Amino acid sequence: MKKILIYITILSASLLLNSCSDWLDVQPSTDKDRADLVESADGYMKMLYGTYINLTSPSLYGANLTFGFVSSLGRDYVKNLSDVGSGWSAVHWSYNDNSIRGTYIDPVWSQMYNNIANVNSILADIDDHKSQFRTSEYGLVAGEAYAERAMMHFDLLRLFAPNYVGNEDVVAIPYVTSYEAARNEHLKARDVMKHVIEDLDKAESLMSEAGDPLIKQAQAITYNGKGEFTANRQYHLNYWAAIALKARAYLYMGDKENALKCAKKVIDEAPFGWTTEAEMAAGDKVMQSELIAALEVATLPDLYDRYFDSQLFILSEEGYWGAADNVHTLKIFEDANDYRYLYTFKKDGRGNNFALSNKYEQETGNSKAMKKQTVPLIRKGEMYLIAAECLAESNPTEAIALLRELKKHRGYFAADAGVADGSDANTIKAMVKSEMRKETYAEGQYWFFLKRTGVTVPDFGWQGSLTLTPEQFRFPMPEMEKEYGYIPSTENTEKEKSN
C-alpha cells in the first residue's frame, strides 16, 4: 500500500470546538510531537478533533462524499459537475477519465487511509493512558475513534468494491488497524464488514459505559457549548451514531434482522425530535434536531456559493418553477406541500428560474448558528426507511405505519399520509426508494441506496432512466495501490489458508 502518513494533517481552516484553537499550531511531524500529545486527555481530544476536521475536506464529507460527487452520480442534479472541469465523464460514470480520477476518486482513497492512520494513532495506546482521563471522557474518545474508523472503512468498501451481497468473497480493500506505514493486505468483503461491525460494537459499548450525555436526553446545539467535549454530541460520532451506522452496515450486508434491530433501537429509544414546519420556514433546512451525526464544515458557505448559487448544481434544465410545471423537482417531490420541497429548494434568483437546493444555505443570523456549517452524516428519517424496508415482506403493516409517521412529519396530513392500507412489499419498497431520495437529497446516501438495491438511476427528461453496470457502481482503485499494494487473488488466498 502507498505509505500512509501517521500524523494528523489539518485540512480545514477552523476547528470543531473553540477550546482547540491552539491545535492549529500543533501539527505533529515527529514521534516526539505525538508522545507529548498522548501524555494528557486534552492531547487525545485534540488528536480526535483533528480527525474530524480531516473528514471535512471537500474531497471527503465536506463536499464530494455528501452533496458533491456522489450526489451527482445519483442524479440529484441535472448538471452533474459538467461545468467544473470534468466534462461529461461524471454524467456517464466514466471513472477512468483522468479528470475524474485525479479530482474525485484517488483523493478519497488517499485521504481516507491517511485519516484512518490518524485515528489508529489515537487507539494505539489510549488504553495505557486511561488514568489520564476524567470519568467519562476515555470511553467517549475511544468509542468515537472506533466508530470513525468503522465508518471510513465501510464507505471505502461501498465505493471501491462491488455491491456486497453476492460478492462477499471478492478481495476488496485493506482494513487498517495500525498507524505505522505498511503494506496492508486487501481483505475479502466479508472480512472487512466483520471488522466494521466489531469496531461499531466496541464504540457502542464504550460510549454506553461512559454514559454519553446524548443517550437519554437531546442537547441544545449552539456555539456556547463548543468549548466542552461532552457538548454538541450530534457533531461527534456518538453512541446513537454507532448504532445507526450498524443499521446501515447490516442492511448493506443483507442482514435485515440485525439492521431492523439497530434501526428500531434508534427509533424507539433515541431522544431526537422531529423538526417542525415553523423551524424549517425559519431557516432550519438541514433539520438539525433530527441529525444523529453531522460535521461542522467551516467552509460550507463558500462551497454553497461555488456549487449551488453558481448554478453548477441545478435540478431543472428548462428553468421551470412551481408546483404545476417544475417537472424535474416534482419527479423527486411529488407533492408540492412536502416541507422538503417547500423549504429546501429555491429559484436561482438570476431570472433563469432554475431549481436549486438551498439545504446548505442556512440563515446566518439564526441563534443556532452552527446550522450554517452543518453537513449531515446520518439522520433520523433514514432509520425509519431502513426499518420499513426490513419489514416490507415480514410485517407490511408495521412498515406502512413507519412510513406514515415519517411522511406526516414532512407535511402529508391525509389520514394515510399517502401510504395506502394493504400496500404490498413491492409498493412499500418503491415508497422507501422515493422517500430515501427526498430524505437524503444532496447528502450522498441515495447513490449507495441505488448501488445496494440495483435499481435504475433516475430519469431526467432527455437523459433517460438507466440501469448501470456493476463497474459503474464501483470506483477504480488508484494505480499506485494496484502497483504497490498487497492485493491477493481470491484463489491465492484460499490456497494460503489451506496450507
Side-chain angles (χ1 to χ4, degrees):
M1 172 181 286
K2 185 179 179 180
K3 185 177 179 181
I4 296 174
L5 300 179
I6 64 174
Y7 301 109
I8 305 299
T9 303
I10 299 301
L11 296 176
S12 176
S14 71
L15 297 171
L16 295 175
L17 302 183
N18 288 339
S19 65
C20 294
S21 58
D22 57 336
W23 180 242
L24 284 173
D25 301 319
V26 183
Q27 297 188 28
S29 57
T30 68
D31 284 329
K32 181 180 182 302
D33 292 328
R34 181 181 180 278
D36 289 341
L37 285 168
V38 301
E39 287 305 311
S40 70
D42 285 345
Y44 275 102
M45 291 177 198
K46 289 178 179 179
M47 293 169 72
L48 182 64
Y49 293 142
T51 67
Y52 281 129
I53 291 166
N54 290 344
L55 293 181
T56 70
S57 162
S59 295
L60 300 181
Y61 301 93
N64 281 329
L65 295 185
T66 50
F67 60 81
F69 186 57
V70 293
S71 284
S72 293
L73 297 178
R75 287 196 167 177
D76 275 350
Y77 319 116
V78 173
K79 287 190 178 181
N80 290 266
L81 296 165
S82 59
D83 293 333
V84 288
S86 301
W88 285 97
S89 297
V91 178
H92 295 293
W93 304 277
S94 301
Y95 303 133
N96 286 313
D97 184 294
N98 288 335
S99 63
I100 295 295
R101 295 196 67 167
T103 304
Y104 301 109
I105 294 177
D106 290 359
V108 172
W109 182 276
S110 60
Q111 291 185 27
M112 284 280 240
Y113 276 113
N114 181 72
N115 203 42
I116 287 167
N118 294 327
V119 170
N120 288 336
S121 73
I122 296 170
L123 294 172
D125 50 14
I126 192 170
D127 288 348
D128 297 333
H129 297 85
K130 190 173 180 179
S131 61
Q132 298 168 183
F133 289 85
R134 290 176 285 275
T135 305
S136 64
E137 289 170 348
Y138 158 77
L140 296 181
V141 172
E144 289 178 39
Y146 278 116
E148 189 178 353
R149 185 168 76 181
M151 181 184 75
M152 289 188 286
H153 280 104
F154 177 48
D155 282 349
L156 283 165
L157 182 77
R158 292 198 291 175
L159 291 166
F160 288 92
N163 186 39
Y164 182 84
V165 175
N167 295 293
E168 296 89 340
D169 290 321
V170 171
V171 173
I173 65 169
Y175 202 97
V176 182
T177 58
S178 171
Y179 73 89
E180 291 85 5
R183 292 177 71 239
N184 292 276
E185 180 180 0
H186 288 229
L187 304 179
K188 292 181 179 181
R190 70 168 70 252
D191 295 323
V192 173
M193 289 308 299
K194 179 175 179 287
H195 288 303
V196 167
I197 297 299
E198 287 174 348
D199 274 356
L200 291 173
D201 283 341
K202 288 178 186 176
E204 178 185 354
S205 177
L206 283 163
M207 288 187 277
S208 175
E209 292 173 6
D212 188 331
L214 198 58
I215 290 177
K216 294 183 179 179
Q217 185 174 356
Q219 293 181 308
I221 300 171
T222 68
Y223 277 134
N224 295 334
K226 290 182 70 178
E228 183 181 349
F229 184 75
T230 56
N232 294 333
R233 295 292 298 157
Q234 285 164 271
Y235 290 80
H236 296 240
L237 287 171
N238 56 70
Y239 170 81
W240 294 112
I243 298 172
L245 283 168
K246 281 203 294 184
R248 190 183 277 176
Y250 276 126
L251 186 59
Y252 192 67
M253 296 166 67
D255 185 346
K256 292 184 179 179
E257 180 180 354
N258 279 310
L260 176 62
K261 179 181 177 181
C262 293
K264 285 287 286 179
K265 184 175 178 65
V266 177
I267 291 168
D268 294 338
E269 301 178 27
F272 307 105
W274 292 104
T275 303
T276 66
E277 181 183 12
E279 288 170 329
M280 293 188 72
D284 185 2
K285 297 158 191 161
V286 293
M287 296 182 281
Q288 192 180 45
S289 61
E290 299 181 22
L291 298 181
I292 299 172
L295 290 174
E296 186 187 357
V297 179
T299 57
L300 186 58
D302 292 335
L303 290 169
Y304 180 82
D305 290 343
R306 175 185 174 189
Y307 289 113
F308 293 95
D309 260 353
S310 66
Q311 300 182 3
L312 291 175
F313 288 169
I314 59 174
L315 188 53
S316 62
E317 298 167 86
E318 296 88 350
Y320 293 138
W321 181 263
D325 56 4
N326 189 358
V327 294
H328 295 293
T329 309
L330 288 178
K331 281 179 181 288
I332 299 175
F333 302 92
E334 75 281 355
D335 189 325
N337 294 311
D338 190 315
Y339 298 158
R340 295 162 296 190
Y341 171 84
L342 288 173
Y343 302 114
T344 65
F345 283 87
K346 69 172 187 177
K347 299 179 183 180
D348 64 9
R350 299 184 182 185
N352 297 316
N353 287 343
F354 288 133
L356 301 177
S357 171
N358 62 353
K359 176 179 282 189
Y360 298 106
E361 185 185 41
Q362 301 295 328
E363 297 294 335
T364 57
N366 193 286
S367 61
K368 294 182 178 179
M370 284 177 73
K371 286 198 298 296
K372 74 176 186 289
Q373 297 179 355
T374 295
V375 173
L377 292 177
I378 321 168
R379 58 172 61 255
K380 177 179 178 176
E382 185 184 348
M383 296 299 104
Y384 278 77
L385 297 175
I386 287 175
E389 183 178 341
C390 291
L391 290 164
E393 295 174 351
S394 62
N395 191 338
T397 300
E398 187 176 354
I400 290 168
L402 288 164
L403 287 171
R404 284 175 176 170
E405 183 176 359
L406 173 63
K407 294 189 74 172
K408 283 180 179 179
H409 289 282
R410 300 293 180 254
Y412 292 77
F413 297 128
D416 66 358
V419 189
D421 287 332
S423 295
D424 62 16
N426 288 335
T427 301
I428 290 169
K429 289 177 183 178
M431 202 158 290
V432 167
K433 175 189 173 184
S434 173
E435 289 302 311
M436 186 68 181
R437 193 174 194 201
K438 290 182 280 188
E439 193 69 5
T440 64
Y441 184 83
E443 295 176 13
Q445 290 307 312
Y446 188 63
W447 169 245
F448 294 122
F449 178 90
L450 294 174
K451 177 173 182 172
R452 178 177 60 79
T453 58
V455 297
T456 57
V457 173
D459 173 18
F460 271 136
W462 61 269
Q463 292 180 317
S465 180
L466 300 174
T467 299
L468 301 188
T469 66
E471 286 303 310
Q472 288 174 308
F473 276 119
R474 179 183 184 178
F475 286 1
M477 200 169 297
E479 293 300 322
M480 186 160 301
E481 183 66 14
K482 291 181 188 177
E483 184 174 357
Y484 298 110
Y486 181 8
I487 312 175
S489 68
T490 302
E491 180 183 359
N492 289 338
T493 302
E494 294 302 323
K495 287 180 180 178
E496 289 171 8
K497 288 184 178 180
S498 64
N499 290 334

